[in-house]
Amino acid sequence: MALIKFDDARTAKYIDPSVKKECMELAGSAREVLRSGTGEGSDFLGWLRLPFDYDREEYSRIKAAARKIRSDSEVLVVIGIGGSYLGARAVIDALTEAFPKENSGTKVVFAGNSVSPVYLSSLVEFVKDRDFSVNVISKSGTTTEPAVTFRVFRKLLEDKYGEEGAARRIYATTDKARGALKSLADAKGYETFVIPDDVGGRFSVLTPVGLLPIAAAGIDTDSLIGGARAEAEFLDKAEGLQNPALQYAAVRNILYGSGRAVEILENYEPGLHFITEWWKQLFGESEGKQGKGIFPAGCDFTTDLHSMGQYIQEGPRIMFETVLTVEDPVKDVTLEATGDDLDGLNYLAGRTMDFVNKQAAEGTAMAHYDGDVPVLKISFDALTPECIGALLYFFEYSCGVSGYMLGVNPFNQPGVEAYKKNMFRLLGKP
Ligand code: PA5
């Protein structure tokens, strides 16, 4: 059974059924290229099998490290950028309380995803009088942002716990053999976890890159992997219109071909904000090359309806929307009647906030479709590890298919080096 559902009813006036049928066949062929490993970038298809084939011994070490961190650290500082942080951040934000109780466990915070002196100074202030550990994550082991940030936190840990004590609080996730971080970790005796050679950063959330911080946040990683596995099994077998990932890939390519060059991923749950950020990297870095690719944008609704709503409703018709829908909010608030009804809201008495949220989503989709914006919908049951695991895999799978349909190599990122060359020159790197 599919954990992730896809609905494109609100593209009917843009997509002729015969075109969709043709494009679904192309999506099926692209899936064959992906499955058979015969396309460009096939050295980086390790993510396809991650929910099934992973190093069990390493996974046990991840769980043990997470237990240790939860027992000896109030804070875990996760240092990484791009694919080396967005997946963990997305899952943790989606599955943990926005307002946790005092002393309710290790707080996972993120660093090294910018070079902001203000953010770094504030985080140093926040952790310095607390017990903390560090998970530094870098596949290349040489990325500037996490490397300089790690230097600061390593010193802080060594000053606080001594060199040996610090070494027991530093976990390095990196390449199995190469890079400055691997050499440093070996020299200092840090516990290390491996980023597989055949998994690119943006596809690495189900490797130790994501799993250690996610487990340290107290999230059930077995269920997360289980959800991804169930979705993988389903997507591998489902044919044609039964396959939501193929449909999503086909429909977005049809819309792109008709001039819709921007896709806005929208949510109605603030906890999904970083799922959008992760998705932006996944699709943007996979498809934006050779002068091609849909620009992935994101909005948090209803918040952004009060800032971006005007543009979407009446601006240039360059976009389509994909709405992420959580069917069951798990927690809810029921509105009560008041005797005076001074705010005029008694008509909602007995209704839940979820009801209000769902009507906002439906009203918005209707208005945007009427305003000439195609609206796709991706839904799942609830904010659970199973569903989030399935959602991550669903997007990765459709991204691989979609990239091949577009005619690009979805698994490289040659363009991200350009700014680094300039920065190194300006910094005077030898
Ligand atoms: O997807 C990618 O390749 C990038 O976003 C990288 O993950 C990011 O640049 C971090 O690289 P690294 O893990 O080598 O430090």
Side-chain angles (χ1 to χ4, degrees), residues 179-252:
L181 178 57
K182 175 65 181 159
S183 316
L184 177 63
D186 286 348
K188 297 278 184 182
Y190 305 151
E191 174 148 27
T192 57
F193 298 98
V194 174
I195 310 177
D197 284 342
D198 57 357
V199 180
R202 59 190 174 276
F203 290 87
S204 69
V205 56
L206 296 178
T207 72
V209 170
L211 294 175
L212 178 56
I214 291 167
I219 293 165
D220 175 0
T221 48
D222 291 348
S223 299
L224 187 82
I225 296 168
R229 188 164 52 240
E231 191 66 15
E233 279 164 353
F234 178 83
L235 295 178
D236 193 46
K237 291 200 182 78
E239 296 299 336
L241 295 176
Q242 301 306 312
N243 191 313
L246 297 189
Q247 282 211 65
Y248 177 49
V251 168
R252 59 197 301 284

Side-chain angles (χ1 to χ4, degrees), residues 357-410:
N357 205 17
K358 295 279 189 320
Q359 306 325 302
E362 183 60 15
T364 304
M366 285 162 68
H368 290 177
Y369 188 50
D370 289 346
D372 194 12
V373 179
V375 183
L376 321 182
K377 181 171 151 182
I378 289 173
S379 55
F380 54 95
D381 283 351
L383 292 173
T384 61
E386 288 86 356
C387 288
I388 294 296
L391 183 69
L392 298 171
Y393 196 90
F394 169 89
F395 276 136
E396 290 176 350
Y397 196 88
S398 31
C399 182
V401 172
S402 182
Y404 281 143
M405 290 181 76
L406 189 65
V408 298
N409 173 356

Side-chain angles (χ1 to χ4, degrees), residues 81-84 137-141 143 146 201-202 281 285 413 420:
I81 194 165
S84 290
I137 308 171
S138 177
K139 189 173 188 200
S140 61
T143 307
R202 59 190 174 276
Q281 185 196 0
E285 221 169 70
Q413 54 284 327
K420 293 182 192 169

